[in-house]
Amino acid sequence: MEEGGSRIRRRVSARKRNRSLEGICASPPATQSLTGADQEEEAGAGSRRRKTVGLEPGQQSDSEEDMFGDSYTENSFLAQVDALEQKYMQSPEHRKHVTDFATEDLCSESIQNKLGITAVSNLSGSKMNEDAKNQIGHDVPVEPGDGLLFEVPSSQVLYFEHLQNTSNDLGHQSTEERDRNSHKTADEDLSCTRLEQPQQNDEFTSTVKDTSEMSRTKSVKDHLKSAMTGNAKAQTPVFSRSKHFKETLLSEEISVAKRAIESSSDDLGPFYSLPSKVRDLYAQFRGIEKLYEWQHTCLTLGSVQKRKNLIYSLPTSGGKTLVAEILMLQELLCRKKDVLMILPYVAIVQEKISGLSSFGIELGFFVEEYAGSKGKFPPTKRREKKSLYIATIEKGHSLVNSLIESGRISTLGLIVVDELHMIGEGSRGAVLEMTLSKVLYTSKTTQIIGMSATLSNVEDLQEFLKAEYYTSQFRPVELKEYLKINDTIYEVDSKAADGLTFSRLINYKYSDALKKMDPDHLVALVTEVIPSYSCLVFCPSKKNCENVAEMLCKFLSKDCLKHREKEKHEVIKNLRNISNGNMCPVLKRTIPFGVAYHHSGLTSDERKLLEEAYSTGVLCLFTCTSTLAAGVNLPARRVILRAPYVAQEFLKRNQYKQMIGRAGRAGIDTVGESILILQEKDKEQIATNLDDIYQFVNGTFFGVQQKVLLKEKSLWEITVDSLRYLTEKGLLQKDSQNSEEGSHCHFHITKLGRASFKGTIDLAYCDILYKDLKKGLEGLVLESFLHLVYLVTPYDVGSQCNPDWMVYFRQFNQLSPAEQTIAAFLGISESFIGKKAAGQAIRKNVDKGIINRLYLSFVLYSLLKENNIWSVSEKFNMPRGYVQNVLTGAASFASCVLHFCEELEEFWVYRALLVELTKKLTYCVKAELIPLMEVTGVLEGRAKQLYNAGYKSLKHLANANPEVLVRTIDHLSRRQAKQIVSSAKMLLHEKAEALQEEAEELLRLPPDFPGMGDSATEQA
């Protein structure tokens, strides 16, 4: 009978748990939990725990009597327990043994096993006597194991956790008390079950004896009712079994994929050596369920599997980026190395950041932006999660420099370069080449992947990068190229004798007025596709874009006004909102027709809004410059090139390929068309040399192309001249101990050279910057930001500026006396500016660069005070897009100057001052909007909307519901809302991780701690 009493109490615990599992809050099996959302699972569990077994659907019981009294029938569980208890209480051995059994079964085993797993395990394998079986009923099997942790009701978890905490404090005292009072009844000892109800330990210790005395007369049924009531009222913690299962599965798949990559097997795992979750994410976020054949071929190349450098070239829109992304994910997840992706423009960097942040959150890696003034040098060192750095060409160079200097270049496993053809284009190409050259020289384990749609000197690039080459002519949408001369359209045909075949004549009725306004037949060409399809018209200059847009709207059909009329009015309204009520008059006239211009004269907010409207089909035609072709992806059904020129220069081959590559939208169009408009004088030049329009000349591959490029000097002579130039600039110094000339001469870098290296300062300006900063210390004016703004105004932008002298004179007179001393300190007087404004001749010679930079510093200073690009552009009579470009350049240069000053002790005062100024120039908004604008893709207009809607910090955005954002914020698509939330989460996780690692670093024992070496030696 004693053994039966113990088992009965175990059966009460197990029966209660199984009742909660089966009748109250049953959990779905593991396979089903994968498909349900965690939130729905938790919400459903919370609601089901408040239901009782005997109630009809829809009924609820709030009182204890309702829950455990009248609602149960005679055959209920509690009724059976009550009957069994009455029989058992009559047993003569009851008083002798019940205390030990009750205490052990209801307290000790629960404390030792936390959630009662041992008790349940023992119960499942034991047999009850026949009397107990008849009273309680059939046994419900309970599988032992860790999985039970997820199926225990949440209130039971709280109970056992509280019981554990209490027992730790009272364990010793309870043991002694049990020894002294072993003669007490089982009813007294059962009072320990009241620990299920929330109470403080001190209250329990003071009242335990009184409670024991009062509880002697209570039955087991009363105790169970009290305990179950406390459990039902307890707060439900969140336990997500599905989330834990998904994380475990992902970790296992990554381990398998890592082993697959390291092995020589041809088995590439679930998804090209990546977990199957990556494939699911591409289907979820991008709608990509299957790769193109060429992508599969490229990813399975032997050179790729052996991690050799690779160059691959395909037409625009062929899917090059997806291959690079899969290779980057392999490096991040399987090889556990950091990755650098270099893109040509800030807008593309931000677009890629938004697109990959969701993958980073789901797969456990960081996505960091290195563009403009953003980016940390050297990057944060992480031990567990790896980082994907997405950078512009210049910031990528700075990042590589910092990794080399800190000895961490080997942590960079892969570099991906988009638009590799830019390596041969001017100063930016030289920076890109320097970056890759340094990586090739300093790290033999870093893989380099280059991709482009247009490559002319592939053999030279292969030799330079020591890379394999893969190419294909695949396009998801067929592209047809046409030429238009007069009113005849020819199709480009390489098989024809002269490269052209007649296609058709333009059949459009032109009035005399229309012929005079539109000699190129643009109206006829665009009306064939819009408004049902989209169209891009590339123009030679920015002004021509605006003129063509207005001309087209004068002759377009009035039916275009009715196409998505309401949405176009919303675009106009939003343009006004982001520009503080201002709006370009050209856009005001053209947007109702679905037409807009797109060039660098627009602000970032305007550009982003117009691009979104074009992508969604609200706008159907862009008149644009060639910069759009290399920017964000805006495809069209038809692309028209109004002339074979970019400004005054003849069109280059790669520019032409980039432009026509925008024709044809995968998944939307079945064919894409490009039409190049020519005059009769251009026909022969284009038709006979269409593939030879541009001869790619690379002036930076001296080692590869010295026989072609170096006619007058040898490579050695040029190297000597370069070293002499750097020495004269003060960037290098020849060792005084070694006066030998020739190949044995040694050099070392000076402090100025190191500072220029750290700040990525153009070598043409580094010595000038040093002199300006040195001179600034002599009379630095800190009454306002003006003096500091002048010091960080870019030199190259200043050389291109032509001041409006009347505006210059007015702004000068509005300066405070202290601010006017800055101009006098620089050698610019009020009389000098006044004479220039009056058109008088001036004998005094003043440095034009200083004059222009001061004028631009007035522009920047006004922006910092007013935070309104429109008003400043009107005040200085400058295009608003140019004003914003000056601001962006100043913010980036301020960041470079800050790193420059960090290396020179004499400029310590600038370090603290430039941090705040860099942030102000980067965002140029009110202080409360800065945290929101740190999120990629959130510009000023969107930041104001979010702030006004109550999202005032990074934490607010990271925890926002995308669906709520869509309903709350005007003109915000679901895709954009998800990208904003993902980017905010990524940024928040990155900051939290940095703080955590910093804390761990502070607590870690330093490696040079005294005595550490001696103890290690003794152990050896």
Side-chain angles (χ1 to χ4, degrees):
M1 194 65 182
E2 300 167 357
E3 184 179 358
S6 174
R7 288 175 178 170
I8 288 170
R9 282 159 179 78
R10 294 178 186 171
R11 180 54 57 96
V12 168
S13 176
R15 180 74 175 184
K16 178 179 177 182
R17 192 173 306 149
N18 282 286
R19 182 177 295 276
S20 66
L21 288 171
E22 295 181 2
I24 300 175
C25 53
S27 299
T31 54
Q32 295 177 359
S33 66
L34 289 176
T35 60
D38 293 340
Q39 295 176 355
E40 295 175 359
E41 176 185 323
E42 292 154 9
S47 65
R48 290 192 295 271
R49 290 187 187 102
R50 292 189 291 270
K51 297 180 182 178
T52 59
V53 176
L55 291 175
E56 292 294 326
Q59 290 183 322
Q60 291 184 351
S61 177
D62 296 328
S63 69
E64 182 179 338
E65 186 64 30
D66 290 339
M67 289 176 65
F68 307 116
D70 297 337
S71 298
Y72 286 97
T73 63
E74 293 182 358
N75 295 325
S76 69
F77 166 65
L78 288 179
Q80 295 172 7
V81 170
D82 193 28
L84 182 61
E85 179 200 16
Q86 295 299 328
K87 181 178 179 180
Y88 179 61
M89 291 288 287
Q90 298 173 5
S91 172
E93 294 90 352
H94 167 69
R95 294 184 176 273
K96 181 178 180 181
H97 300 285
V98 71
T99 302
D100 294 336
F101 282 122
T103 304
E104 288 182 9
D105 292 334
L106 296 180
C107 296
S108 300
E109 288 184 12
S110 300
I111 292 171
Q112 292 172 2
N113 300 285
K114 295 185 179 179
L115 295 178
I117 296 175
T118 305
V120 177
S121 300
N122 294 335
L123 175 64
S124 64
S126 63
K127 296 182 179 180
M128 294 186 65
N129 55 51
E130 290 298 318
D131 182 63
K133 287 185 177 179
N134 293 333
Q135 291 289 342
I136 297 179
H138 297 291
D139 187 18
V140 179
V142 180
E143 292 296 333
D146 295 338
L148 189 60
L149 290 171
F150 295 99
E151 297 179 343
V152 174
S154 302
S155 58
Q156 295 295 315
V157 176
L158 286 180
Y159 158 61
F160 285 119
E161 287 178 348
H162 183 72
L163 191 62
Q164 170 72 14
N165 295 334
T166 305
S167 67
N168 291 337
D169 296 334
L170 303 179
H172 182 67
Q173 177 182 346
S174 298
T175 303
E176 293 179 353
E177 187 176 12
R178 187 178 62 185
D179 293 339
R180 292 195 307 267
N181 300 298
S182 61
H183 63 280
K184 291 186 179 180
T185 65
D187 291 334
E188 176 182 352
D189 290 327
L190 281 172
S191 64
C192 67
T193 60
R194 291 190 175 274
L195 290 173
E196 293 174 352
Q197 303 182 29
Q199 53 183 311
Q200 300 296 327
N201 292 342
D202 55 347
E203 293 177 355
F204 175 82
T205 55
S206 64
T207 60
V208 63
K209 292 183 179 180
D210 296 336
T211 304
S212 299
E213 293 295 332
M214 294 173 60
S215 63
R216 286 185 179 186
T217 59
K218 292 189 176 182
S219 66
V220 175
K221 177 181 177 180
D222 294 330
H223 284 292
L224 287 174
K225 287 170 61 177
S226 177
M228 292 171 70
T229 302
N231 291 343
K233 293 178 179 179
Q235 185 178 1
T236 303
V238 176
F239 289 93
S240 174
R241 181 177 184 181
S242 62
K243 182 177 181 181
H244 177 79
F245 183 83
K246 290 177 182 177
E247 291 177 351
T248 304
L249 181 62
L250 177 61
S251 177
E252 291 176 355
E253 288 194 346
I254 288 177
S255 300
V256 172
K258 183 178 181 180
R259 291 195 297 269
I261 282 183
E262 292 173 350
S263 68
S264 58
S265 172
D266 295 333
D267 183 10
L268 296 181
F271 184 69
Y272 298 97
S273 301
L274 289 169
S276 56
K277 184 174 181 179
V278 177
R279 178 181 55 209
D280 298 338
L281 290 176
Y282 271 110
Q284 177 184 346
F285 296 145
R286 307 274 185 86
I288 300 174
E289 298 182 354
K290 186 179 180 181
L291 271 62
Y292 294 130
E293 185 178 346
W294 83 263
Q295 292 171 331
H296 172 77
T297 303
C298 186
L299 287 169
T300 54
L301 289 173
S303 56
V304 173
Q305 300 301 314
K306 295 176 183 177
R307 296 192 75 250
K308 292 183 178 180
N309 295 345
L310 175 69
I311 301 171
Y312 62 99
S313 175
L314 280 97
T316 304
S317 76
K320 298 184 296 295
T321 307
L322 179 59
V323 171
E325 288 180 4
I326 292 174
L327 294 174
M328 290 191 297
L329 291 175
Q330 288 179 359
E331 202 71 27
L332 289 163
L333 302 180
C334 303
R335 299 189 180 95
K336 297 296 182 181
K337 292 277 191 175
D338 295 329
V339 174
L340 169 61
M341 186 177 196
I342 298 177
L343 301 170
Y345 303 109
V346 175
I348 309 179
V349 169
Q350 294 175 343
E351 184 181 40
K352 187 57 65 178
I353 289 278
S354 300
L356 290 177
S357 292
S358 301
F359 287 85
I361 292 172
E362 293 290 337
L363 299 173
F365 62 87
F366 290 105
V367 182
E368 300 184 34
E369 179 180 352
Y370 281 77
S373 61
K374 294 185 178 180
K376 185 178 180 181
F377 303 99
T380 304
K381 188 175 182 179
R382 309 186 192 280
R383 292 189 304 276
E384 296 181 3
K385 292 186 177 181
K386 297 304 174 183
S387 295
L388 169 58
Y389 311 113
I390 303 182
T392 56
I393 293 173
E394 293 76 14
K395 286 294 181 180
H397 184 218
S398 300
L399 180 64
V400 168
N401 286 344
S402 66
L403 289 174
I404 292 174
E405 187 179 29
S406 59
R408 291 166 48 195
I409 190 64
S410 60
T411 63
L412 199 61
L414 174 65
I415 294 181
V416 174
V417 182
D418 195 8
E419 310 298 348
L420 184 62
H421 63 269
M422 293 187 70
I423 201 170
E425 294 184 358
S427 59
R428 300 196 78 203
V431 173
L432 180 57
E433 187 208 345
M434 281 190 286
T435 304
L436 297 177
S437 298
K438 290 173 182 177
V439 173
L440 289 168
Y441 185 78
T442 58
S443 176
K444 305 302 181 185
T445 59
T446 302
Q447 184 183 14
I448 297 175
I449 304 290
M451 53 183 173
S452 176
T454 56
L455 287 175
S456 297
N457 55 342
V458 176
E459 293 80 8
D460 293 339
L461 285 171
Q462 279 186 265
E463 184 177 349
F464 170 60
L465 296 176
K466 302 176 179 61
E468 302 290 329
Y469 178 62
Y470 177 83
T471 185
S472 172
Q473 295 303 314
F474 171 82
R475 273 185 61 94
V477 178
E478 181 186 2
L479 173 62
K480 294 184 177 180
E481 298 179 47
Y482 298 96
L483 302 178
K484 189 195 83 70
I485 302 172
N486 298 326
D487 58 352
T488 305
I489 294 179
Y490 300 90
E491 183 175 359
V492 176
D493 184 1
S494 58
K495 298 178 182 179
D498 58 354
L500 301 174
T501 57
F502 173 80
S503 178
R504 62 188 174 92
L505 294 173
I506 294 177
N507 186 18
Y508 190 87
K509 294 182 180 180
Y510 266 72
S511 63
D512 292 337
L514 182 55
K515 285 181 180 179
K516 184 177 293 187
M517 294 288 292
D518 182 27
D520 294 329
H521 301 89
L522 284 174
V523 174
L525 295 175
V526 300
T527 51
E528 291 176 351
V529 289
I530 67 169
S532 300
Y533 299 97
S534 56
C535 181
L536 295 176
V537 179
F538 285 99
C539 303
S541 65
K542 289 184 285 188
K543 188 63 178 175
N544 192 240
C545 289
E546 299 177 26
N547 293 339
V548 170
E550 285 199 283
M551 182 274 294
L552 289 173
C553 291
K554 290 179 181 178
F555 298 102
L556 286 177
S557 170
K558 302 301 180 184
D559 294 337
C560 293
L561 293 170
K562 299 178 182 179
H563 180 73
R564 305 183 72 166
E565 183 177 5
K566 183 178 178 181
E567 291 162 283
K568 286 186 283 195
H569 284 304
E570 288 293 324
V571 173
I572 293 175
K573 179 183 175 182
N574 209 20
L575 280 171
R576 289 185 185 278
N577 291 338
I578 64 174
S579 303
N580 299 316
N582 299 296
M583 185 172 181
C584 172
V586 176
L587 291 176
K588 184 179 179 180
R589 291 190 291 269
T590 61
I591 288 178
F593 288 89
V595 178
Y597 65 85
H598 185 289
H599 56 61
S600 60
L602 295 169
T603 65
S604 299
D605 284 309
E606 287 175 315
R607 247 192 331 265
K608 190 172 185 65
L609 183 62
L610 292 176
E611 288 167 0
E612 291 170 1
Y614 178 86
S615 298
T616 55
V618 177
L619 299 179
C620 54
L621 189 145
F622 267 170
T623 57
C624 49
T625 56
S626 60
T627 54
L628 182 140
V632 292
N633 186 25
L634 294 175
R637 174 65 174 269
R638 176 175 290 180
V639 171
I640 301 172
L641 283 68
R642 191 166 183 267
Y645 296 93
V646 175
Q648 302 299 320
E649 296 182 5
F650 202 75
L651 195 66
K652 299 175 183 178
R653 180 177 183 271
N654 69 313
Q655 292 173 327
Y656 171 76
K657 289 293 186 182
Q658 286 276 12
M659 292 179 189
I660 68 172
R662 297 298 178 193
R665 298 171 296 175
I668 301 175
D669 298 327
T670 56
V671 66
E673 300 174 342
S674 71
I675 301 176
L676 174 61
I677 299 176
L678 301 174
Q679 307 303 322
E680 193 67 39
K681 60 184 177 62
D682 298 320
K683 178 182 176 182
E684 196 65 27
Q685 182 179 1
I686 296 294
T688 57
N689 297 298
L690 189 60
D691 289 334
D692 299 322
I693 296 173
Y694 172 58
Q695 288 293 330
F696 192 78
V697 179
N698 189 343
T700 58
F701 290 159
F702 289 115
V704 176
Q705 298 182 324
Q706 55 179 307
K707 294 180 180 179
V708 179
L709 299 178
L710 306 180
K711 299 295 184 182
E712 299 178 356
K713 290 185 177 181
S714 66
L715 184 62
W716 172 257
E717 291 174 322
I718 291 179
T719 302
V720 172
D721 289 345
S722 299
L723 289 172
R724 185 181 298 113
Y725 172 79
L726 294 174
T727 304
E728 291 172 356
K729 284 277 188 180
L731 305 176
L732 290 180
Q733 185 174 351
K734 188 184 297 184
D735 286 346
S736 57
Q737 298 178 355
N738 192 337
S739 58
E740 296 183 27
E741 296 292 336
S743 60
H744 299 289
C745 184
H746 293 279
F747 294 86
H748 69 267
I749 189 170
T750 63
K751 290 184 177 180
L752 177 60
R754 187 172 298 280
S756 302
F757 172 83
K758 274 291 190 69
T760 324
I761 306 297
D762 193 323
L763 297 182
Y765 305 119
C766 59
D767 54 338
I768 302 175
L769 174 63
Y770 178 81
K771 292 176 183 177
D772 286 348
L773 292 173
K774 189 77 173 177
K775 184 178 180 182
L777 292 176
E778 299 173 6
L780 189 62
V781 178
L782 296 178
E783 182 185 84
S784 66
F785 276 112
L786 181 60
H787 200 169
L788 287 174
V789 168
Y790 169 79
L791 291 174
V792 299
T793 301
Y795 292 94
D796 54 344
V797 177
S799 63
Q800 303 168 6
C801 174
N802 293 311
D804 184 321
W805 292 106
M806 286 302 298
V807 175
Y808 208 153
F809 186 70
R810 281 198 302 269
Q811 292 300 313
F812 191 94
N813 288 330
Q814 293 175 8
L815 298 177
S816 66
E819 291 171 341
Q820 288 188 359
T821 60
I822 300 172
F825 182 71
L826 297 173
I828 302 175
S829 63
E830 182 180 2
S831 61
F832 172 82
I833 300 176
K835 290 180 180 180
K836 293 290 288 185
Q840 299 178 11
I842 299 175
R843 296 179 181 178
K844 183 180 179 181
N845 187 19
V846 181
D847 190 335
K848 183 180 178 182
I850 296 176
I851 296 172
N852 292 354
R853 288 184 73 216
L854 183 62
Y855 183 69
L856 289 178
S857 66
F858 288 172
V859 175
L860 294 168
Y861 185 49
S862 297
L863 275 173
L864 291 180
K865 291 192 295 184
E866 300 180 26
N867 297 326
N868 190 326
I869 289 178
W870 284 79
S871 61
V872 173
S873 66
E874 291 176 3
K875 181 187 297 184
F876 287 89
N877 194 23
M878 289 178 169
R880 60 192 181 282
Y882 176 77
V883 172
Q884 189 171 57
N885 289 339
V886 171
L887 177 64
T888 304
S892 181
F893 189 61
S895 175
C896 294
V897 174
L898 175 60
H899 294 304
F900 180 87
C901 294
E902 287 174 345
E903 290 299 310
L904 298 170
E905 282 294 328
E906 56 196 299
F907 294 148
W908 62 269
V909 69
Y910 289 120
R911 298 176 199 167
L913 296 172
L914 289 177
V915 170
E916 185 64 22
L917 179 61
T918 301
K919 186 177 290 187
K920 284 182 173 291
L921 289 172
T922 299
Y923 302 109
C924 196
V925 293
K926 294 180 179 179
E928 60 264 24
L929 298 181
I930 290 179
L932 299 178
M933 292 187 66
E934 289 180 350
V935 179
T936 302
V938 177
L939 300 177
E940 182 180 0
R942 187 71 76 201
K944 289 180 179 177
Q945 288 180 309
L946 292 168
Y947 188 85
N948 293 334
Y951 299 95
K952 300 183 179 182
S953 69
L954 185 64
K955 289 188 289 186
H956 287 161
L957 279 184
N959 292 284
N961 186 335
E963 298 299 330
V964 176
L965 282 180
V966 171
R967 293 194 299 269
T968 307
I969 308 300
D970 292 337
H971 314 295
L972 182 68
S973 68
R974 185 170 283 98
R975 179 182 63 86
Q976 292 167 333
K978 289 180 179 179
Q979 288 179 347
I980 288 175
V981 173
S982 296
S983 298
K985 285 182 179 179
M986 176 62 66
L987 193 57
L988 194 64
H989 290 173
E990 182 183 331
K991 291 185 175 182
E993 183 87 5
L995 290 173
Q996 184 177 353
E997 293 192 357
E998 185 178 351
E1000 291 176 358
E1001 186 66 29
L1002 286 173
L1003 297 173
R1004 191 177 296 113
L1005 192 67
D1008 56 348
F1009 187 76
M1012 288 287 291
D1014 298 337
S1015 61
T1017 305
E1018 291 175 3
Q1019 292 177 2

